[in-house]
Amino acid sequence: MESKLFSPYRIKDVTLKNRIVMSPMCMYSSDTQDGKAAPFHFTHYESRAAGQVGLVMTEATAVVPEGRISYEDLGIWSDEHILGLKQINEGIHRHGAASAIQLAHAGRKADLKDPIYGPSPLPFNEQLQTPNEMSMKDIQHVITAFKDAARRAEESGFDIIELHGAHGYLINEFLSPLTNKRSDDYGGSTENRYRFLKEVITAVKEVWNGPLFVRISGNEYHEEGNTMNDFLYFAREMKKQGIDLIDVSSGGVVPASINPFPGYQISYAEEIKRRTGIPTGAVGLITHGIQAEEIVQNERADLVFIGRSLLRNPYWPMQAAEELGFALEGPRQYARAWK
Ligand SMILES: Cc1cc2nc3c(=O)[nH]c(=O)nc-3n(C[C@H](O)[C@H](O)[C@H](O)COP(=O)(O)O)c2cc1C
């Protein structure tokens, strides 16, 4: 059959061989606690590329040490991280996959002993620290850190950068009225809450010409949180700034109970794509090839991000192709397994 899931997708000068993206997933495996990649990371990312994922995206990678979720997070705050990240890239590229890095700052959700930062001094829950309210100098420091990280991402050989603006981490904390109670230019109106992300994008684009994605939480599961109208405003602004794709997840901004069902976040990606014309990625309990094919064929999203299914099975794309009756060529060495 003709599969759209297994058709190439071009963004700027980067061509993905198919529409399957490995969703960013923290592995908490930088054992040296200095943000450097460990042997686990090399095997982990290369395996998914061998499994025929079109775009392998790294886990949230911290742009400053105090922006880690844990001390075992990957980091990109120093030139010393480049060597390990290059090695991750070599593994991914060996199998014809493209690579992406998710640049992140955990904000008030950093589970660290060091001081943590956020737009407003409100803790996420009783377990985590109360963040320091960021001064203008702190804001400038983080914007510069995202820019420096983008330069290092380029030097490390990544094809695509994604900014982590979802799940209640720093960028999301500025976007959301639930976590941003500032009275300066960075808080209040939807426009002001977008300012921090806007400046991060501008700074990154000064050093990065490649495809740039942003992940957002398209539902905050709280009646006083951002609404679809806010997300559409953010999406239109991102489109104006030249963002290539919005990866639409949900939740994590404040503690909330969510009822996940198959494809539970797809409608947000679909609405943003349809109403603003910006390409989107869909993610969340997409577990079958048929489901993924349906999403791209019906143009509900342009790319399909797969998380836990790829942790269970690095060869998930092969399994999806088999389901669709599509003859996907895997690694030559394993050809007899699929004959
Ligand atoms: C172990 C694990 C770690 C995750 N870490 C990240 C992360 O670093 N960045 C991010 O944006 N999402 C993260 N997520 C969310 C996934 O990218 C994905 O959005 C979510 O798991 C839903 O997709 P799935 O149902 O296919 O797993 C993580 C999820 C898991 C299971």
Side-chain angles (χ1 to χ4, degrees):
M1 88 164 228
E2 285 272 321
S3 167
K4 189 165 177 185
L5 183 65
F6 289 100
S7 69
Y9 184 72
R10 194 184 158 105
I11 325 154
K12 296 205 167 102
D13 290 339
V14 178
T15 302
L16 311 183
K17 64 181 171 182
N18 61 47
R19 314 292 182 104
I20 301 170
V21 184
M22 178 177 177
S23 203
M25 284 177 283
C26 286
M27 291 289 110
Y28 310 114
S29 294
S30 177
D31 310 317
T32 43
Q33 300 202 338
D34 56 4
K36 286 191 186 153
F40 171 82
H41 295 105
F42 307 135
T43 309
H44 172 65
Y45 291 113
E46 180 163 359
S47 305
R48 275 67 196 179
Q52 299 307 303
V53 168
L55 176 63
V56 177
M57 187 175 291
T58 69
E59 61 208 83
T61 305
V63 300
V64 288
E66 65 276 18
R68 286 176 288 180
I69 300 166
S70 80
Y71 288 108
E72 284 77 27
D73 287 18
L74 272 188
I76 187 164
W77 63 82
S78 148
D79 285 354
E80 288 181 15
H81 294 119
I82 294 173
L83 189 64
L85 294 171
K86 257 190 186 157
Q87 208 174 322
I88 289 179
N89 266 300
E90 281 161 15
I92 295 172
H93 289 145
R94 235 190 306 275
H95 304 274
S99 65
I101 183 167
Q102 189 184 48
L103 299 183
H105 187 305
R108 71 172 187 161
K109 288 179 87 176
D111 191 2
L112 305 174
K113 293 190 187 74
D114 304 85
I116 65 168
Y117 297 86
S120 301
L122 303 166
F124 176 72
N125 61 21
E126 282 176 9
Q127 283 76 49
L128 294 172
Q129 291 188 62
T130 300
N132 290 297
E133 181 172 25
M134 288 169 74
S135 65
M136 294 306 259
K137 199 168 149 227
D138 295 331
I139 289 176
Q140 279 316 314
H141 173 69
V142 174
I143 292 171
T144 306
F146 270 101
K147 178 177 169 178
D148 292 343
R151 193 249 312 149
R152 293 185 192 110
E154 166 123 56
E155 285 175 30
S156 305
F158 285 101
D159 301 303
I160 294 175
I161 289 178
E162 172 166 289
L163 303 174
H164 196 349
H167 304 162
Y169 297 110
L170 188 67
I171 292 175
N172 198 172
E173 287 162 29
F174 272 92
L175 293 176
S176 176
L178 298 172
T179 44
N180 182 344
K181 305 290 182 191
R182 299 178 73 93
S183 53
D184 62 6
D185 288 350
Y186 292 88
S189 64
T190 311
E191 185 186 351
N192 276 359
R193 286 185 273 111
Y194 181 69
R195 192 176 312 281
F196 178 69
L197 174 55
K198 183 180 186 170
E199 292 181 0
V200 169
I201 294 170
T202 303
V204 164
K205 280 187 153 281
E206 281 168 24
V207 294
W208 173 262
N209 296 320
L212 188 57
F213 297 0
V214 177
R215 172 168 274 200
I216 63 164
S217 279
N219 188 341
E220 300 183 348
Y221 305 106
H222 191 291
E223 50 188 30
E224 282 151 36
N226 277 314
T227 62
M228 186 42 80
N229 277 341
D230 295 304
F231 298 124
L232 292 171
Y233 172 84
F234 300 146
R236 290 192 181 102
E237 289 300 306
M238 285 189 244
K239 193 177 174 197
K240 275 192 235 158
Q241 286 193 274
I243 291 297
D244 298 283
L245 179 137
I246 302 180
D247 162 15
V248 189
S249 183
S250 76
V253 184
V254 287
S257 79
I258 303 175
N259 170 34
F261 54 86
Y264 66 108
Q265 299 169 147
I266 301 168
S267 62
Y268 316 134
E270 182 172 11
E271 187 162 1
I272 290 171
K273 179 178 166 63
R274 187 167 44 78
R275 295 186 55 190
T276 69
I278 195 164
T280 58
V283 64
L285 281 182
I286 301 166
T287 50
H288 286 84
I290 289 170
Q291 203 188 352
E293 181 73 25
E294 185 275 330
I295 294 165
V296 291
Q297 285 281 5
N298 279 323
E299 305 204 344
R300 304 174 73 195
D302 299 82
L303 299 178
V304 176
F305 285 59
I306 307 292
R308 289 161 290 179
S309 294
L310 270 170
L311 292 186
R312 282 193 290 274
N313 176 11
Y315 293 91
W316 186 86
M318 302 294 288
Q319 180 191 310
E322 211 169 17
E323 251 182 60
L324 291 167
F326 179 79
L328 178 65
E329 258 185 56
R332 162 185 71 73
Q333 295 88 337
Y334 302 161
R336 285 182 64 182
W338 276 282
K339 282 269 154 64

